[in-house]
Short mmCIF file of all heavy atoms in Angstrom, two decimals:
data_model
loop_
_atom_site.label_atom_id
_atom_site.label_comp_id
_atom_site.label_asym_id
_atom_site.label_seq_id
_atom_site.Cartn_x
_atom_site.Cartn_y
_atom_site.Cartn_z
N LYS A 15 1.49 -0.45 18.58
CA LYS A 15 1.36 0.30 17.33
C LYS A 15 0.19 -0.23 16.52
O LYS A 15 -0.62 0.54 16.00
CB LYS A 15 2.65 0.20 16.54
CG LYS A 15 2.60 0.88 15.17
CD LYS A 15 3.91 0.69 14.43
CE LYS A 15 3.83 1.27 13.03
NZ LYS A 15 5.10 1.07 12.28
N ILE A 19 -3.21 1.82 15.37
CA ILE A 19 -3.62 1.95 13.97
C ILE A 19 -5.04 1.45 13.78
O ILE A 19 -5.86 2.10 13.11
CB ILE A 19 -2.65 1.18 13.05
CG1 ILE A 19 -1.30 1.92 12.99
CG2 ILE A 19 -3.22 1.03 11.64
CD1 ILE A 19 -0.21 1.16 12.27
N ALA A 81 -2.33 9.97 11.35
CA ALA A 81 -1.85 8.84 10.56
C ALA A 81 -0.33 8.87 10.44
O ALA A 81 0.33 7.83 10.59
CB ALA A 81 -2.50 8.87 9.18
N ALA A 82 0.22 10.04 10.17
CA ALA A 82 1.67 10.17 10.00
C ALA A 82 2.42 9.88 11.30
O ALA A 82 3.56 9.41 11.28
CB ALA A 82 2.02 11.57 9.49
N MET A 84 1.34 7.66 13.53
CA MET A 84 1.25 6.20 13.69
C MET A 84 2.28 5.48 12.82
O MET A 84 2.92 4.52 13.25
CB MET A 84 -0.14 5.71 13.29
CG MET A 84 -1.27 6.27 14.12
SD MET A 84 -1.32 5.57 15.76
CE MET A 84 -2.77 6.40 16.41
N GLU A 85 2.41 5.93 11.58
CA GLU A 85 3.32 5.31 10.61
C GLU A 85 3.88 6.40 9.72
O GLU A 85 3.14 7.04 8.97
CB GLU A 85 2.59 4.26 9.77
CG GLU A 85 3.44 3.60 8.71
CD GLU A 85 4.59 2.80 9.29
OE1 GLU A 85 4.40 2.13 10.34
OE2 GLU A 85 5.69 2.83 8.70
N VAL A 86 5.17 6.63 9.81
CA VAL A 86 5.80 7.69 9.02
C VAL A 86 5.54 7.46 7.53
O VAL A 86 5.80 6.38 7.00
CB VAL A 86 7.32 7.74 9.28
CG1 VAL A 86 7.97 8.78 8.38
CG2 VAL A 86 7.59 8.04 10.75
N GLY A 87 5.00 8.49 6.88
CA GLY A 87 4.74 8.39 5.46
C GLY A 87 3.36 7.87 5.10
O GLY A 87 2.99 7.86 3.92
N TRP A 88 2.60 7.42 6.09
CA TRP A 88 1.25 6.91 5.80
C TRP A 88 0.36 8.07 5.38
O TRP A 88 0.17 9.02 6.13
CB TRP A 88 0.70 6.19 7.03
CG TRP A 88 -0.67 5.60 6.84
CD1 TRP A 88 -1.26 5.23 5.66
CD2 TRP A 88 -1.64 5.31 7.86
NE1 TRP A 88 -2.52 4.71 5.89
CE2 TRP A 88 -2.77 4.75 7.22
CE3 TRP A 88 -1.65 5.45 9.25
CZ2 TRP A 88 -3.91 4.36 7.94
CZ3 TRP A 88 -2.77 5.06 9.96
CH2 TRP A 88 -3.89 4.51 9.30
N CYS A 89 -0.19 7.99 4.17
CA CYS A 89 -1.00 9.07 3.60
C CYS A 89 -2.36 8.53 3.14
O CYS A 89 -2.55 8.28 1.93
CB CYS A 89 -0.29 9.72 2.44
SG CYS A 89 1.32 10.42 2.81
N PRO A 90 -3.30 8.34 4.05
CA PRO A 90 -4.59 7.74 3.67
C PRO A 90 -5.65 8.75 3.23
O PRO A 90 -6.85 8.45 3.27
CB PRO A 90 -5.01 7.05 4.98
CG PRO A 90 -4.48 7.96 6.05
CD PRO A 90 -3.20 8.53 5.51
N HIS A 92 -6.68 9.59 0.46
CA HIS A 92 -7.49 9.14 -0.69
C HIS A 92 -8.23 7.84 -0.41
O HIS A 92 -8.88 7.29 -1.29
CB HIS A 92 -6.58 8.94 -1.90
CG HIS A 92 -5.49 7.93 -1.68
ND1 HIS A 92 -4.49 8.11 -0.74
CD2 HIS A 92 -5.23 6.74 -2.26
CE1 HIS A 92 -3.68 7.07 -0.76
NE2 HIS A 92 -4.11 6.22 -1.66
N TRP A 93 -8.14 7.33 0.82
CA TRP A 93 -8.77 6.05 1.16
C TRP A 93 -10.29 6.18 1.25
O TRP A 93 -10.83 7.22 1.61
CB TRP A 93 -8.24 5.53 2.49
CG TRP A 93 -6.87 4.92 2.41
CD1 TRP A 93 -5.86 5.25 1.55
CD2 TRP A 93 -6.36 3.88 3.25
NE1 TRP A 93 -4.76 4.48 1.80
CE2 TRP A 93 -5.03 3.63 2.84
CE3 TRP A 93 -6.89 3.15 4.32
CZ2 TRP A 93 -4.23 2.67 3.45
CZ3 TRP A 93 -6.09 2.20 4.93
CH2 TRP A 93 -4.78 1.95 4.50
N TYR A 135 -2.33 -3.56 -1.12
CA TYR A 135 -1.04 -2.92 -1.38
C TYR A 135 -0.94 -1.56 -0.68
O TYR A 135 0.14 -1.18 -0.21
CB TYR A 135 -0.81 -2.78 -2.88
CG TYR A 135 -0.37 -4.08 -3.52
CD1 TYR A 135 -1.16 -4.73 -4.47
CD2 TYR A 135 0.84 -4.68 -3.16
CE1 TYR A 135 -0.74 -5.93 -5.04
CE2 TYR A 135 1.25 -5.88 -3.72
CZ TYR A 135 0.45 -6.50 -4.65
OH TYR A 135 0.86 -7.70 -5.21
N GLN A 136 -2.05 -0.84 -0.60
CA GLN A 136 -2.04 0.42 0.16
C GLN A 136 -1.72 0.16 1.63
O GLN A 136 -1.09 1.00 2.29
CB GLN A 136 -3.41 1.10 0.07
CG GLN A 136 -3.70 1.78 -1.25
CD GLN A 136 -5.07 2.44 -1.29
OE1 GLN A 136 -5.37 3.16 -2.23
NE2 GLN A 136 -5.90 2.19 -0.30
N ALA A 137 -2.17 -0.98 2.13
CA ALA A 137 -2.04 -1.29 3.56
C ALA A 137 -0.70 -1.90 3.93
O ALA A 137 -0.42 -2.09 5.12
CB ALA A 137 -3.16 -2.24 3.98
N LEU A 138 0.16 -2.20 2.98
CA LEU A 138 1.43 -2.87 3.27
C LEU A 138 2.23 -2.23 4.42
O LEU A 138 2.75 -2.94 5.28
CB LEU A 138 2.31 -2.95 2.02
CG LEU A 138 2.02 -4.08 1.03
CD1 LEU A 138 3.07 -4.07 -0.07
CD2 LEU A 138 1.99 -5.43 1.71
N PRO A 139 2.37 -0.90 4.46
CA PRO A 139 3.18 -0.32 5.54
C PRO A 139 2.57 -0.49 6.93
O PRO A 139 3.26 -0.28 7.93
CB PRO A 139 3.27 1.16 5.16
CG PRO A 139 2.09 1.40 4.28
CD PRO A 139 1.90 0.12 3.51
N LEU A 140 1.30 -0.88 6.99
CA LEU A 140 0.63 -1.04 8.28
C LEU A 140 0.68 -2.47 8.80
O LEU A 140 0.38 -2.71 9.97
CB LEU A 140 -0.85 -0.62 8.17
CG LEU A 140 -1.14 0.74 7.53
CD1 LEU A 140 -2.64 1.00 7.53
CD2 LEU A 140 -0.41 1.85 8.27
N LEU A 141 1.06 -3.40 7.95
CA LEU A 141 0.99 -4.81 8.31
C LEU A 141 2.22 -5.25 9.10
O LEU A 141 3.30 -4.69 8.94
CB LEU A 141 0.86 -5.66 7.04
CG LEU A 141 -0.33 -5.34 6.14
CD1 LEU A 141 -0.37 -6.31 4.96
CD2 LEU A 141 -1.65 -5.41 6.92
N PRO A 144 6.76 -6.48 7.89
CA PRO A 144 6.87 -5.84 6.58
C PRO A 144 8.09 -6.28 5.78
O PRO A 144 8.04 -6.33 4.56
CB PRO A 144 6.94 -4.35 6.93
CG PRO A 144 7.44 -4.31 8.33
CD PRO A 144 6.86 -5.50 8.99
N ALA A 151 5.38 -7.13 -2.53
CA ALA A 151 5.39 -5.74 -3.01
C ALA A 151 5.94 -5.67 -4.43
O ALA A 151 5.40 -4.95 -5.28
CB ALA A 151 6.21 -4.86 -2.08
N GLU A 164 -0.15 1.59 -8.91
CA GLU A 164 -0.09 2.88 -8.21
C GLU A 164 -0.41 2.75 -6.73
O GLU A 164 0.01 3.59 -5.94
CB GLU A 164 -1.03 3.88 -8.89
CG GLU A 164 -0.55 4.28 -10.29
CD GLU A 164 -1.37 5.39 -10.92
OE1 GLU A 164 -2.53 5.58 -10.49
OE2 GLU A 164 -0.84 6.07 -11.82
N ALA A 165 -1.13 1.71 -6.35
CA ALA A 165 -1.43 1.50 -4.93
C ALA A 165 -0.17 1.23 -4.13
O ALA A 165 -0.06 1.62 -2.96
CB ALA A 165 -2.41 0.34 -4.76
N ILE A 166 0.81 0.59 -4.75
CA ILE A 166 2.07 0.33 -4.07
C ILE A 166 3.09 1.43 -4.36
O ILE A 166 3.89 1.80 -3.50
CB ILE A 166 2.65 -1.05 -4.45
CG1 ILE A 166 3.99 -1.31 -3.74
CG2 ILE A 166 2.83 -1.23 -5.93
CD1 ILE A 166 3.87 -1.44 -2.25
N ALA A 167 3.05 2.00 -5.57
CA ALA A 167 4.09 2.94 -5.98
C ALA A 167 3.87 4.37 -5.48
O ALA A 167 4.84 5.08 -5.18
CB ALA A 167 4.20 2.96 -7.51
N LEU A 168 2.62 4.80 -5.38
CA LEU A 168 2.33 6.20 -5.08
C LEU A 168 1.78 6.38 -3.66
O LEU A 168 0.99 5.56 -3.18
CB LEU A 168 1.31 6.77 -6.08
CG LEU A 168 1.63 6.59 -7.57
CD1 LEU A 168 0.57 7.30 -8.40
CD2 LEU A 168 3.02 7.10 -7.92
N ARG A 169 2.18 7.46 -3.02
CA ARG A 169 1.67 7.84 -1.68
C ARG A 169 1.81 6.68 -0.70
O ARG A 169 0.99 6.53 0.20
CB ARG A 169 0.20 8.28 -1.78
CG ARG A 169 0.01 9.56 -2.57
CD ARG A 169 -1.44 9.94 -2.75
NE ARG A 169 -2.12 9.05 -3.69
CZ ARG A 169 -3.25 9.34 -4.32
NH1 ARG A 169 -3.84 10.50 -4.09
NH2 ARG A 169 -3.80 8.49 -5.15
N ASN A 170 2.85 5.90 -0.86
CA ASN A 170 3.02 4.70 -0.05
C ASN A 170 4.47 4.65 0.45
O ASN A 170 5.40 4.64 -0.36
CB ASN A 170 2.70 3.46 -0.90
CG ASN A 170 2.56 2.19 -0.07
OD1 ASN A 170 3.19 2.04 0.97
ND2 ASN A 170 1.74 1.28 -0.55
N PRO A 171 4.68 4.61 1.76
CA PRO A 171 6.05 4.61 2.29
C PRO A 171 6.77 3.27 2.16
O PRO A 171 7.98 3.20 2.35
CB PRO A 171 5.86 4.99 3.76
CG PRO A 171 4.50 4.48 4.10
CD PRO A 171 3.68 4.68 2.84
N TYR A 172 6.03 2.21 1.84
CA TYR A 172 6.64 0.88 1.84
C TYR A 172 7.79 0.73 0.84
O TYR A 172 8.87 0.25 1.21
CB TYR A 172 5.58 -0.20 1.59
CG TYR A 172 6.16 -1.60 1.75
CD1 TYR A 172 6.09 -2.27 2.97
CD2 TYR A 172 6.80 -2.23 0.69
CE1 TYR A 172 6.64 -3.52 3.12
CE2 TYR A 172 7.37 -3.49 0.84
CZ TYR A 172 7.28 -4.13 2.06
OH TYR A 172 7.86 -5.37 2.22
N PRO A 173 7.62 1.10 -0.44
CA PRO A 173 8.71 0.86 -1.40
C PRO A 173 10.04 1.48 -1.00
O PRO A 173 11.09 0.83 -1.09
CB PRO A 173 8.16 1.48 -2.69
CG PRO A 173 6.69 1.39 -2.56
CD PRO A 173 6.43 1.66 -1.11
N ALA A 174 10.03 2.72 -0.57
CA ALA A 174 11.28 3.39 -0.21
C ALA A 174 11.96 2.71 0.97
O ALA A 174 13.18 2.70 1.07
CB ALA A 174 11.02 4.86 0.09
N GLN A 175 11.17 2.14 1.85
CA GLN A 175 11.73 1.52 3.05
C GLN A 175 12.24 0.11 2.81
O GLN A 175 13.23 -0.31 3.41
CB GLN A 175 10.67 1.49 4.16
CG GLN A 175 10.29 2.84 4.71
CD GLN A 175 9.26 2.73 5.83
OE1 GLN A 175 9.32 1.83 6.67
NE2 GLN A 175 8.30 3.63 5.84
N TYR A 176 11.59 -0.63 1.90
CA TYR A 176 11.86 -2.06 1.84
C TYR A 176 12.26 -2.62 0.48
O TYR A 176 12.86 -3.70 0.42
CB TYR A 176 10.64 -2.84 2.35
CG TYR A 176 10.35 -2.60 3.80
CD1 TYR A 176 9.32 -1.75 4.20
CD2 TYR A 176 11.14 -3.18 4.79
CE1 TYR A 176 9.07 -1.51 5.54
CE2 TYR A 176 10.89 -2.94 6.13
CZ TYR A 176 9.86 -2.11 6.50
OH TYR A 176 9.61 -1.86 7.83
N LEU A 177 11.95 -1.97 -0.62
CA LEU A 177 12.32 -2.52 -1.92
C LEU A 177 13.83 -2.40 -2.14
O LEU A 177 14.43 -1.38 -1.80
CB LEU A 177 11.59 -1.80 -3.05
CG LEU A 177 10.09 -2.04 -3.21
CD1 LEU A 177 9.60 -1.39 -4.49
CD2 LEU A 177 9.75 -3.52 -3.20
N TRP A 182 13.23 -1.07 -6.88
CA TRP A 182 12.92 0.36 -6.80
C TRP A 182 13.09 1.04 -8.17
O TRP A 182 12.21 1.77 -8.63
CB TRP A 182 13.83 1.02 -5.77
CG TRP A 182 13.72 2.51 -5.75
CD1 TRP A 182 14.53 3.41 -6.40
CD2 TRP A 182 12.74 3.30 -5.06
NE1 TRP A 182 14.12 4.70 -6.15
CE2 TRP A 182 13.03 4.66 -5.33
CE3 TRP A 182 11.67 2.99 -4.23
CZ2 TRP A 182 12.27 5.70 -4.80
CZ3 TRP A 182 10.91 4.03 -3.71
CH2 TRP A 182 11.21 5.37 -4.00
N MET A 185 10.38 0.17 -10.52
CA MET A 185 9.13 0.84 -10.17
C MET A 185 9.11 2.28 -10.70
O MET A 185 8.11 2.72 -11.27
CB MET A 185 8.96 0.84 -8.64
CG MET A 185 7.63 1.43 -8.18
SD MET A 185 7.56 1.65 -6.37
CE MET A 185 8.52 3.17 -6.19
N LEU A 198 4.50 11.77 -6.51
CA LEU A 198 3.73 11.03 -5.51
C LEU A 198 4.47 9.77 -5.02
O LEU A 198 3.96 9.04 -4.18
CB LEU A 198 2.36 10.63 -6.07
CG LEU A 198 1.40 11.80 -6.34
CD1 LEU A 198 0.06 11.27 -6.84
CD2 LEU A 198 1.20 12.64 -5.08
N ILE A 199 5.67 9.53 -5.54
CA ILE A 199 6.50 8.44 -5.05
C ILE A 199 7.29 8.95 -3.85
O ILE A 199 8.08 9.89 -3.99
CB ILE A 199 7.45 7.92 -6.13
CG1 ILE A 199 6.67 7.37 -7.32
CG2 ILE A 199 8.37 6.84 -5.56
CD1 ILE A 199 7.54 6.89 -8.47
N GLN A 200 7.10 8.36 -2.71
CA GLN A 200 7.73 8.86 -1.50
C GLN A 200 9.24 8.62 -1.50
O GLN A 200 9.72 7.57 -1.94
CB GLN A 200 7.10 8.22 -0.26
CG GLN A 200 5.66 8.65 -0.03
CD GLN A 200 5.19 8.37 1.37
OE1 GLN A 200 5.95 8.05 2.27
NE2 GLN A 200 3.89 8.47 1.59
N ASN A 201 9.99 9.62 -1.00
CA ASN A 201 11.45 9.54 -0.86
C ASN A 201 12.15 9.28 -2.19
O ASN A 201 13.18 8.59 -2.24
CB ASN A 201 11.84 8.48 0.18
CG ASN A 201 11.42 8.86 1.58
OD1 ASN A 201 11.52 10.02 1.98
ND2 ASN A 201 10.93 7.90 2.33
N LEU A 202 11.60 9.82 -3.23
CA LEU A 202 12.14 9.61 -4.57
C LEU A 202 13.58 10.12 -4.67
O LEU A 202 14.46 9.44 -5.20
CB LEU A 202 11.26 10.32 -5.59
CG LEU A 202 11.55 10.08 -7.07
CD1 LEU A 202 11.41 8.61 -7.41
CD2 LEU A 202 10.59 10.91 -7.93
N ARG A 205 16.18 7.94 -2.65
CA ARG A 205 16.53 6.65 -3.24
C ARG A 205 17.14 6.77 -4.64
O ARG A 205 17.38 5.77 -5.31
CB ARG A 205 15.28 5.76 -3.32
CG ARG A 205 14.77 5.20 -2.00
CD ARG A 205 15.70 4.21 -1.33
NE ARG A 205 16.06 3.10 -2.20
CZ ARG A 205 15.42 1.92 -2.20
NH1 ARG A 205 14.38 1.73 -1.39
NH2 ARG A 205 15.81 0.95 -2.99
#
Side-chain angles (χ1 to χ4, degrees):
K15 177 182 175 181
I19 288 172
M84 298 288 182
E85 177 64 38
V86 176
W88 181 24
C89 302
H92 59 296
W93 283 31
Y135 282 116
Q136 285 180 171
L138 278 185
L140 309 181
L141 303 183
E164 292 187 338
I166 180 67
L168 307 184
R169 294 176 289 200
N170 192 329
Y172 186 93
Q175 292 181 39
Y176 295 103
L177 289 188
W182 172 265
M185 184 189 79
L198 293 182
I199 298 177
Q200 292 197 12
N201 293 320
L202 188 60
R205 288 293 305 266

